[in-house]
Amino acid sequence: MSRRGFMSTSAALGLALGAGGTLLPGLARAQSETPVKGGKLRAGILGATSNTNDPALRTDEFGVMAAYTTFNHLVELKADKTIEPELAESWEAKPGATEWVFNLRKGVEFHNGKTLDANDVIYSINRHRGEASQSGAKSLMAAITDIKALDSHQILVTLDSPNADLPFNFSGDHLAISPADYEDWMKPVGTGGYVQTSFEPGVRATWTRNPNYWKEGRAHVDEVEFLILNDPQARLAALQSGQIDALGLVDPAAVELLRGIPGVQVVNSAGGQFWSYALNCRKGPFTDPNLRMAMKYGIDRQKILDLVLRGNGALGNDQPLAKTDPFFNPELAQRPYDPDQALHYLKKAGMESFAIKLDTSDATFANSANVGQIYAQGAKKGGIDLEVVRQPADGYWDQVWLNVDHPMTTGVWMGRPTADMIMSMVYASKAPWNEAFWGNARFDELLTSARGELDQAKRKAMYWEMQALIHEDGGHVVPVFADFIDAYGPRVRGLEASPSWYLMGARFTERVWLDG
């Protein structure tokens, strides 16, 4: 899409001047206006025909956004990455942090009229436990040995080892609360601000406002509509034409254009989102750590940050914690782009050159194929022939990613509220989303120990060692941390930055309102 095309269409629409990065003072003032009810909020969302409303099985943006639109959780993650009560009014750990008591909110109704009680919460949590579970939160719930009701609105969670961060785990999109024994995920029932009224996987979904929503000051619009838009140009055109009001995962290359369009509001939030290249450590050439190291030295991270992110992010260093994380290890030297070192590790692996396929898809991040080509150009100088394979967005997460027959796949991680969460979900040996199929006994031991360590200095030392293990031995190439970039149409009010996920930590549907 040309800048001329962008600007001419915008002018025809008569939109007012917007801003990017942070909101302009005028817009900032507008965001402080009193919320009003009404209107239809339309968003462009990434999705696929395999989409589901089952929070346990979701794998992409649609599942996350739908979860926070339909359901509530025990706790809510705030913009400052602290938590506050949601369906749990309060919680308390017994000495040793292996037993936690959660007091549930009373008087909350599901969309089908059932009143929330302890059995609903126990059922919802147990869906993520046990060998048969396929939930993305399975590893986070693995430490639970028992969960029982103390009364109709109080539960006791018992763990096999201490966990100082347990309440944070219940803020994740997977841990949505549904009625006990509920399984009809084509017609999901939650306690959230909106009731789903239609669902066409890979096409669209609609909701109407929950007339009995218990939460004060939330769920302002009458209707919500998600349109599945995977093509980057089509997504921008839909926002530009007014077909949609909200768009996450904005291509950084389009930010300057969007900033020039009257009325378009761009919100840029630095956080824990990182792009990843997963090197299959279980099967194929990357079982050799020398080849993993060659791939880490063969990528020009600065070029990707400059040319693709346009500076909207920071360099990655092959480990998952951003500099904003309290357990970030600043003593790890930044790994440079060094083709000679890549060649050195190829020779240690007994090779003069090396050829491998890299699977990419627009389902991960905008321009992922172009980023792969930048990787390939740099790797070539290090003796690595990287063939970039662009896979269709529809089906990528279900058929390519996490497929042990693929040697190298592209991924994107939005970060998590705690170091324990991201490491437990992606890096632990038995983690369900261990996309690199990496296993390290020392890492697993440290992860368990750090989870229950209440001495912050000792805990910090453990997380530092874990980052070093991932950095040196792990199966991930992490080129950059990318800012969350969202764009909204001129009617949308109540905007705020969030370091946790796109579109206000995926909670935009219940927080924004429409002007006029």
Side-chain angles (χ1 to χ4, degrees):
M1 182 182 305
S2 69
R3 180 177 176 84
R4 173 180 292 181
F6 238 83
M7 296 301 290
S8 61
T9 305
S10 304
L13 292 169
L15 303 178
L17 182 63
T22 55
L23 298 173
L24 284 173
L27 284 172
R29 284 194 298 273
Q31 304 312 319
S32 66
E33 295 170 354
T34 301
V36 296
K37 299 292 185 183
K40 182 178 183 178
L41 176 68
R42 305 154 302 169
I45 301 294
L46 295 177
T49 53
S50 58
N51 282 152
T52 173
N53 284 304
D54 183 348
L57 301 181
R58 73 90 188 152
T59 55
D60 61 9
E61 188 191 23
F62 172 84
V64 179
M65 299 299 165
Y68 288 112
T69 300
T70 306
F71 303 98
N72 290 129
H73 301 66
L74 289 186
V75 302
E76 180 173 343
L77 184 66
K78 298 168 61 178
D80 62 1
K81 300 188 78 169
T82 60
I83 52 176
E84 63 182 0
E86 198 168 40
L87 292 181
E89 283 189 317
S90 62
W91 50 86
E92 182 180 12
K94 293 187 177 182
T98 57
E99 291 185 312
W100 286 81
V101 174
F102 290 83
N103 298 302
L104 307 180
R105 192 176 299 278
K106 297 180 180 177
V108 176
E109 285 190 356
F110 287 98
H111 300 154
N112 62 4
K114 183 188 182 303
T115 300
L116 172 78
D117 62 28
N119 291 329
D120 303 314
V121 175
I122 292 171
Y123 167 76
S124 298
I125 294 174
N126 280 339
R127 296 189 68 241
H128 309 279
R129 301 177 59 207
E131 288 300 318
S133 173
Q134 299 180 41
S135 170
K138 181 178 178 180
S139 59
L140 293 178
M141 300 293 106
I144 297 177
T145 58
D146 189 36
I147 175 170
K148 63 182 180 183
L150 299 179
D151 64 34
S152 65
H153 285 80
Q154 187 179 63
I155 63 170
L156 173 65
V157 179
T158 303
L159 309 174
D160 63 8
S161 57
N163 186 347
D165 293 334
L166 181 66
F168 281 91
N169 291 354
F170 292 124
S171 69
D173 55 283
H174 293 292
L175 275 299
I177 304 301
S178 60
D181 301 321
Y182 198 83
E183 292 290 345
D184 186 2
W185 300 112
M186 287 299 291
K187 299 178 181 177
V189 169
T191 59
Y194 295 93
V195 182
Q196 193 173 84
T197 51
S198 69
F199 175 44
E200 300 176 66
V203 181
R204 67 195 289 268
T206 58
W207 289 260
T208 58
R209 185 156 57 90
N210 178 2
N212 299 318
Y213 196 35
W214 60 273
K215 196 184 290 188
E216 295 289 335
R218 298 296 192 195
H220 305 294
V221 301
D222 290 336
E223 299 176 78
V224 174
E225 180 178 29
F226 289 174
L227 294 175
I228 303 304
L229 297 172
N230 292 321
D231 180 79
Q233 297 301 319
R235 291 159 56 79
L236 291 173
L239 181 72
Q240 178 188 11
S241 67
Q243 183 185 8
I244 60 174
D245 304 297
L247 180 66
L249 293 106
V250 171
D251 181 354
V255 168
E256 290 305 316
L257 291 173
L258 289 172
R259 286 173 176 167
I261 297 176
V264 170
Q265 308 170 81
V266 179
V267 180
N268 188 325
S269 309
Q273 176 188 202
F274 62 90
W275 296 352
S276 68
Y277 294 110
L279 312 173
N280 189 335
C281 301
R282 182 185 299 167
K283 181 179 179 180
F286 294 122
T287 54
D288 185 338
N290 289 306
L291 288 181
R292 302 201 292 266
M293 195 62 84
M295 298 304 296
K296 294 173 183 176
Y297 278 108
I299 188 167
D300 191 341
R301 304 162 205 268
Q302 189 65 53
K303 194 171 187 178
I304 294 171
L305 178 62
D306 293 342
L307 294 184
V308 180
L309 287 183
R310 312 295 175 101
N312 294 291
L315 293 178
N317 199 21
D318 303 330
Q319 62 80 29
L321 301 189
K323 290 182 179 179
T324 53
D325 191 285
F327 294 121
F328 171 76
N329 182 353
E331 294 185 355
L332 282 181
Q334 174 64 52
R335 181 166 284 131
Y337 168 53
D338 191 335
D340 290 338
Q341 280 293 309
L343 282 169
H344 166 75
Y345 281 102
L346 283 189
K347 290 178 180 177
K348 286 189 70 174
M351 298 180 177
E352 294 295 328
S353 62
F354 173 55
I356 195 74
K357 289 185 177 180
L358 165 64
D359 289 305
T360 68
S361 171
D362 288 339
T364 56
F365 50 83
N367 287 317
S368 64
N370 292 337
V371 178
Q373 292 296 342
I374 293 175
Y375 192 172
Q377 291 167 10
K380 192 86 173 176
K381 297 178 181 177
I384 300 168
D385 182 8
L386 192 61
E387 179 185 352
V388 179
V389 180
R390 186 173 184 176
Q391 300 281 2
D394 195 346
Y396 177 76
W397 295 114
D398 304 292
Q399 299 169 25
V400 179
W401 182 68
L402 276 183
N403 185 329
V404 75
D405 292 327
H406 289 246
M408 187 176 181
T409 57
T410 304
V412 59
W413 294 95
M414 302 303 168
R416 291 296 186 275
T418 66
D420 178 69
M421 288 180 72
I422 189 67
M423 290 183 172
S424 296
M425 297 179 75
V426 185
Y427 292 88
S429 298
K430 296 183 179 179
W433 286 353
N434 182 349
E435 60 182 353
F437 305 102
W438 179 66
N440 184 293
R442 175 60 178 164
F443 176 87
D444 290 346
E445 175 187 349
L446 286 165
L447 185 61
T448 300
S449 299
R451 186 177 298 141
E453 179 57 62
L454 301 181
D455 183 313
Q456 290 303 298
K458 292 180 180 177
R459 205 173 187 210
K460 176 180 174 180
M462 293 177 189
Y463 281 117
W464 281 28
E465 184 178 347
M466 281 186 271
Q467 290 168 75
L469 288 171
I470 295 171
H471 178 80
E472 289 300 313
D473 182 64
H476 277 84
V477 177
V478 178
V480 291
F481 283 85
D483 292 352
F484 296 104
I485 306 175
D486 302 322
Y488 299 89
R491 299 189 305 150
V492 186
R493 295 290 183 268
L495 302 180
E496 58 186 37
S498 172
S500 301
W501 208 293
Y502 288 96
L503 296 171
M504 300 170 64
R507 290 180 175 271
F508 74 114
T509 56
E510 76 160 21
R511 293 181 180 176
V512 305
W513 64 92
L514 300 175
D515 184 18

